[in-house]
Amino acid sequence: MTHTTEKVPSEAAAPAPEGTTPLPAPRGTRTWRALTPWLFLLAPLALLITFTYAPIANMVAYSFTDWDGVSPELHYTGAENYTEIFTREDLFQVFFVSGYYLIASVIQIVAALYFATILSFQVRFRNFFKGVLFFPSLVNGVAIGFVFLYFFQDGGTFDTVLGLFGFHTDHAWLGTPISANTSLAGVSVWRYLGMNFVLFLGAIQSIPGELYEASELDGATRWHQFRYIILPGIKPVLTLTVILSVSGSLSAFEIPYIMTGGATGTETFVIQTVKLAFQFNKTGLASAAAVVLLLIILLVTWVQRRLVPDDRVDLV
């Protein structure tokens, strides 16, 4: 005679009755869940504080001293370094050189937006032109500086190209402040055009294609598509590009430092800061100059964000 036993489900396996509120998680579990995101952020925050915020704090502290960068002794001088920066004309007038790079950044943004708009449509050899435009961004800045140093020298490549079109000139392109700064700004346009081009192209291609099809059915031209679809659709990226271009213009360093070393009126604020620290051993004054540059960039960024807020764009 066999006996059959029925399995009675346990209370834990039984489903909760409908309409009842589940029990809250234990306090220890809730605490662990709250701490888990911070545990993942612990290493990045440690690196950020160690290599970013701590050096900035040291730079601000040094800006109130007369430290020469070598001696273990330093003396507190108050706001003397900041007063010297704003009162000495030779220290602050280098900001006028940034005007050349600001104009160049405007040309760069317009050109990048133009090429991105054209190549976002179906045109022949567009992949080839994409590679040509982006290629300068892959080249090292030092190499670009040396290449264009020979490009603009007397009787160099630029004079040779002009001679092929019948223009013969003995002008020293890096010999006067106006022509030298114009040439250096032109090199910066050539170098950074590709990066802005890629940003604009990615933003344009993220716009839904149905909008273009609907606009074509309504008789919209390419200009109408650019004005009412592309520009509103890439507004956040355009705002970001403007902020990066303006801050980059104020902190131009690599190309003018390699090509001229700041000679013939091409010294930028960053080149001057580097010379103050490593050539004249005025690390305290150089730190104050770096703090001033940081504050100016933050102010310009804040003004731009206030004038052009990052509103959400909804084209659909």
Side-chain angles (χ1 to χ4, degrees), residues 98-120:
S98 300
Y100 290 92
Y101 297 94
L102 284 173
I103 297 174
S105 65
V106 174
I107 298 174
Q108 172 185 301
I109 291 175
V110 172
L113 184 57
Y114 172 78
F115 288 119
T117 304
I118 295 298
L119 296 179
S120 63

Side-chain angles (χ1 to χ4, degrees), residues 168-190:
H168 299 281
T169 177
D170 295 330
H171 181 71
W173 299 104
L174 300 178
T176 61
I178 295 178
S179 62
N181 284 307
T182 303
S183 302
L184 297 177
V187 175
S188 68
V189 171
W190 181 83

Side-chain angles (χ1 to χ4, degrees), residues 23-40:
L23 295 176
R27 184 175 181 180
T29 303
R30 296 198 305 269
T31 304
W32 179 255
R33 290 177 181 176
L35 291 177
T36 299
W38 294 102
L39 293 176
F40 282 102

Side-chain angles (χ1 to χ4, degrees), residues 127-311:
N127 289 331
F128 170 76
F129 289 114
K130 288 179 184 178
V132 170
L133 291 171
F134 185 68
F135 173 74
S137 300
L138 303 176
V139 183
N140 183 269
V142 177
I144 291 176
F146 280 111
V147 167
F148 278 94
L149 179 62
Y150 293 104
F151 182 83
F152 285 114
Q153 71 178 358
D154 298 342
T157 307
F158 191 49
D159 289 336
T160 303
V161 173
L162 292 178
L164 296 176
F165 293 93
F167 298 97
H168 299 281
T169 177
D170 295 330
H171 181 71
W173 299 104
L174 300 178
T176 61
I178 295 178
S179 62
N181 284 307
T182 303
S183 302
L184 297 177
V187 175
S188 68
V189 171
W190 181 83
R191 184 189 179 189
Y192 296 106
L193 175 66
M195 187 59 65
N196 290 333
F197 163 76
V198 170
L199 292 175
F200 288 143
L201 184 63
I204 293 174
Q205 291 181 342
S206 65
I207 299 175
E210 294 81 2
L211 297 177
Y212 297 105
E213 297 176 358
S215 63
E216 290 177 355
L217 294 176
D218 293 336
T221 61
R222 293 299 190 192
W223 166 250
H224 292 143
Q225 291 178 344
F226 175 79
R227 173 66 181 83
Y228 297 103
I229 298 178
I230 294 178
L231 272 185
I234 66 172
K235 182 180 177 182
V237 176
L238 183 60
T239 303
L240 174 63
T241 304
V242 171
I243 292 175
L244 294 177
S245 298
V246 172
S247 61
S249 300
L250 295 174
S251 58
F253 170 74
E254 195 174 36
I255 291 176
Y257 185 78
I258 295 171
M259 294 183 63
T260 63
T264 62
T266 60
E267 187 175 65
T268 62
F269 197 78
V270 179
I271 293 178
Q272 177 183 259
T273 303
V274 172
K275 287 185 176 181
L276 287 174
F278 300 104
Q279 184 174 344
F280 301 107
N281 294 330
K282 295 184 177 181
T283 305
L285 183 60
S287 299
V291 172
V292 170
L293 179 61
L294 176 62
L295 293 177
I296 291 175
I297 292 177
L298 292 177
L299 177 62
V300 170
T301 304
W302 179 80
V303 171
Q304 288 180 328
R305 300 295 292 178
R306 296 290 294 179
L307 294 177
V308 186
D310 191 11
D311 298 330

